[in-house]
Amino acid sequence: MSGARAGTGSRAGPARSPESSPGFPPEEGAAGGAVVPAPRGRERFVARAATATAVLTGLGAAAGLLRDQIVASLFGADGATDAFLVSWTLPEVAATLLIDEAMALVLVPAFSLALARGGRRGVRDLLRATFPRLLLVLACAAAVVAAAAPLVVGALAPGLPEPGLAVDCTRLTAVTLLTFGAAGYASAVLRAHRCFLPPAAVYLACNAGIVGTALALHGPWGVRAAAAGVAVGGLLMVLVQLPSVLRRTRRPAGPAPAPRGPARRGRALLAVAGPVALFALARQAQVLVERFLASGLPPGAISCLNYAQKVAQMPMVLALMICTVTLPLVARALADGDLERARRRVERDLVAAGVVVLLGAAYVVAYAPQIIHLLFQRGAFDAGATAATAAVMRVYALGLLGHALVGALVRPFFASGRPVWFPVAAMLPGLLVTVAGGLAAVGPFGAPGIAAANAAGITLTAFLLLRGLAARAVPVDTGRLLGRFARLAGAAALAAAAGWATAPSGASPLPALALGCAVVPAVFAAGLRLSGVPVAPPVASLLTRVRTPERRSRHVRGEARGKAREEARETARGKVGGKPGETGAG
């Protein structure tokens, strides 16, 4: 998620710094409320930054898939990998809180404001007021988790067959509370300075550390090598950003002014961070519930759940990129008080995300065994592990729309930069359904039953968020959207059935997957046409209907010129300021 836009400040201010240099794109909205027109170069900068960020993010996701493939190949899907994945829970929670969610939503706006009001000095004041304390808290938390690793493992997975191995791995991954926090803080500083490439490279660096360490040490250390790789990867996440942070926060010339209200700024940050952090924790708790319940199943169940979820959620990641790109447009509309413009944007984004995620879900349901075979079936990951993982992945796909909608709907709630508690309240009933459904289904159905409870819980949360968004933030048409989603789901069901029925059997999964790339989209599109849902506009609108500030300003100037010409004609006819036939401008 991206933070709020910062102002440019007044024209009379401190000496020009890198963030205000001609090569740096100024932001819209000065601190005093004036709107500074964005130059044409800013649009080119944003386009280049967005493209490079997308490329690095994609490479990081590919590296994550490679990491899972290597771990599966080296260690299979058994009790040892279950032990590692229990220890992996800690970095997952740390990444959500300290990099992706709370840290970004809280610190990016704070540093943007400090940069706009005080330049580099303002950034250094805020850094001195917050970073040492944060580092101390995170270091103490990492030490406590490492010391209490047996209790942590017992709480997360009480039925684990090899708890000692999980304890060793947890002690190695506990350091990520410190390194991920420092990496998230550095990312916030750089994004506030509109420096996007190092933050986008953090997951690529982390996965490179995990893969390299696991390959180098898997012989003598076993699965502990993967846990040590997580610790190495966290350090690399900091190092890859450190040079850029140092360049942008070095001491400026001249005497240092007195810091302005760091305690007040810290209290404001905590007020915003509370609901964001609790929502992220409540959402991450679904994974904790799954691993807790799966720890009592035969060895390998946690591994199957993990691999199935990682692969099944790839369509969701693609769908959420749509909402990430358009989030600034929604935030700007809300800041302007234009609820109608925000409503149109959010509704288009939700339908577009639904098209992408349900098309991907149909493909996953139809070809789950072939996908898992192609990605993981090698080394210690055998055909039995493939079948078990594919069965779980098909059930996970039923909740993909709910997962995508939760990720998309929560963005408008937090776009205002104010503390918002409704997403937390909406997440709790879904989590309760996940817990109760998992407890009821794990006995008769095993890991697929846990996945079904996950799908039911997240779908309930998505429904509550949709209703709450219409009532509290953006007045979307809930009934119309639910009708659209129902028709999209019907088309996806037809596409999944067609792909499943026509999938060729054979030792190689490639022919089936290649055929599915033609069959599933074709049937999905036909189903949308039959149900009256347009195929192209929801996604095409991202390219054709989203106006950049430059295009929007050209449009406004064109309208102004047309209005001026019309007024001139009306004046010539004697219609301005009086009745027909009268003259004068009134």
Side-chain angles (χ1 to χ4, degrees):
M1 294 185 181
S2 61
R5 288 178 177 270
T8 56
S10 59
R11 293 184 181 274
R16 188 179 294 272
S17 60
E19 62 269 12
S20 59
S21 62
F24 191 88
E27 278 293 304
E28 298 180 17
V35 176
V36 181
R40 187 171 300 178
R42 178 177 178 274
E43 295 308 315
R44 291 195 295 267
F45 173 85
V46 171
R48 289 196 301 267
T51 301
T53 300
V55 170
L56 285 175
T57 302
L59 290 176
L65 179 60
L66 177 63
R67 174 203 69 212
D68 290 340
Q69 289 176 323
I70 289 176
V71 170
S73 176
L74 293 176
F75 311 112
D78 55 16
T81 50
D82 287 353
F84 166 69
L85 290 172
V86 169
S87 73
W88 178 254
T89 303
L90 188 64
E92 282 183 321
V93 174
T96 300
L97 284 178
L98 302 177
I99 299 176
D100 296 330
E101 298 280 353
M103 194 78 79
L105 286 173
V106 173
L107 287 181
V108 171
F111 275 110
S112 297
L113 185 61
L115 184 62
R117 291 181 175 176
R120 190 181 296 161
R121 294 189 189 279
V123 171
R124 287 178 62 85
D125 287 346
L126 183 58
L127 193 149
R128 284 196 299 266
T130 57
F131 184 64
R133 299 173 185 176
L134 176 68
L135 212 60
L136 178 62
V137 170
L138 294 176
C140 292
V144 169
V145 170
L151 298 177
V152 173
V153 171
L156 292 176
L160 201 65
E162 298 184 56
L165 183 57
V167 168
D168 293 343
C169 292
T170 300
R171 284 176 172 150
L172 289 168
T173 59
V175 73
T176 58
L177 287 175
L178 177 61
T179 55
F180 280 23
Y185 193 98
S187 296
V189 173
L190 293 176
R191 285 169 179 157
H193 284 82
R194 306 302 183 264
C195 178
F196 301 105
L197 298 188
V202 293
Y203 287 116
L204 180 61
C206 181
N207 288 318
I210 297 172
V211 169
T213 307
L215 290 175
L217 300 177
H218 74 278
W221 286 17
V223 79
R224 294 178 182 85
V230 176
V232 173
L235 180 60
L236 293 178
M237 294 172 86
V238 178
L239 295 179
V240 78
Q241 301 180 95
L242 187 59
S244 297
V245 173
L246 292 178
R247 282 198 303 271
R248 286 163 176 81
T249 59
R250 64 179 182 271
R251 183 185 301 276
R260 294 176 292 181
R264 186 171 64 253
R265 288 197 298 268
R267 288 193 294 270
L269 292 180
L270 288 176
V272 177
V276 179
L278 287 178
F279 173 80
L281 283 174
R283 191 172 181 187
Q284 192 65 30
Q286 283 196 310
V287 178
L288 305 183
V289 170
E290 290 179 6
R291 290 176 182 170
F292 181 90
L293 296 175
S295 65
L297 296 175
I302 295 177
S303 300
C304 291
L305 286 165
N306 175 75
Y307 295 134
Q309 187 180 61
K310 294 288 178 62
V311 178
Q313 288 187 352
M314 285 184 179
M316 181 196 73
V317 174
L318 295 175
L320 288 182
M321 287 181 66
I322 298 171
C323 303
T324 300
V325 169
T326 59
L327 176 63
L329 301 178
V330 177
R332 180 60 183 271
L334 292 175
D336 293 341
D338 193 344
L339 292 181
E340 177 61 21
R341 177 155 54 98
R343 181 195 64 78
R344 290 195 304 267
R345 180 72 267 162
V346 170
E347 287 186 356
R348 286 198 298 266
D349 292 347
L350 291 175
V351 175
V355 170
V356 173
V357 76
L358 285 173
L359 176 59
Y363 191 84
V364 166
V365 170
Y367 299 99
Q370 292 86 353
I371 294 172
I372 298 299
H373 185 178
L374 179 66
L375 293 179
F376 296 112
Q377 190 171 320
R378 59 185 61 87
F381 200 96
D382 56 17
T386 294
T389 304
V392 174
M393 191 165 74
R394 277 175 165 154
V395 179
Y396 264 133
L398 302 179
L400 280 183
L401 179 61
H403 280 287
L405 291 181
V406 167
L409 289 166
V410 76
R411 284 161 163 78
F413 278 107
F414 293 133
S416 63
R418 298 188 300 270
V420 180
W421 290 97
F422 181 80
V424 179
M427 194 69 220
L428 294 180
L431 184 60
L432 181 62
V433 169
T434 300
V435 172
L439 288 171
V442 65
F445 302 108
I450 298 174
N454 178 298
I458 201 66
T459 301
L460 175 60
T461 295
F463 175 77
L464 294 176
L465 284 174
L466 183 60
R467 295 294 300 270
L469 183 67
R472 291 171 172 81
V474 180
V476 296
D477 191 331
T478 304
R480 181 169 59 187
L481 285 173
L482 289 175
R484 287 282 183 91
F485 295 143
R487 285 180 283 175
L488 288 173
L494 288 176
W500 199 333
T502 59
S505 59
S508 174
L510 287 176
L513 294 176
L515 179 64
C517 291
V519 171
V520 172
V523 177
F524 184 68
L528 293 185
R529 289 186 182 277
L530 290 174
S531 61
V533 179
V535 179
V539 179
S541 65
L542 292 172
L543 301 177
T544 60
R545 301 182 69 178
V546 176
R547 288 175 177 161
T548 64
E550 181 182 346
R551 290 175 57 193
R552 186 163 55 245
S553 63
R554 288 201 300 267
H555 176 76
V556 171
R557 288 196 299 269
E559 283 188 344
R561 286 194 296 269
K563 184 176 180 180
R565 287 194 296 268
E566 182 66 23
E567 288 180 353
R569 286 194 293 268
E570 294 294 327
T571 302
R573 296 187 187 119
K575 294 183 179 180
V576 176
K579 298 178 182 179
E582 296 177 349
T583 60

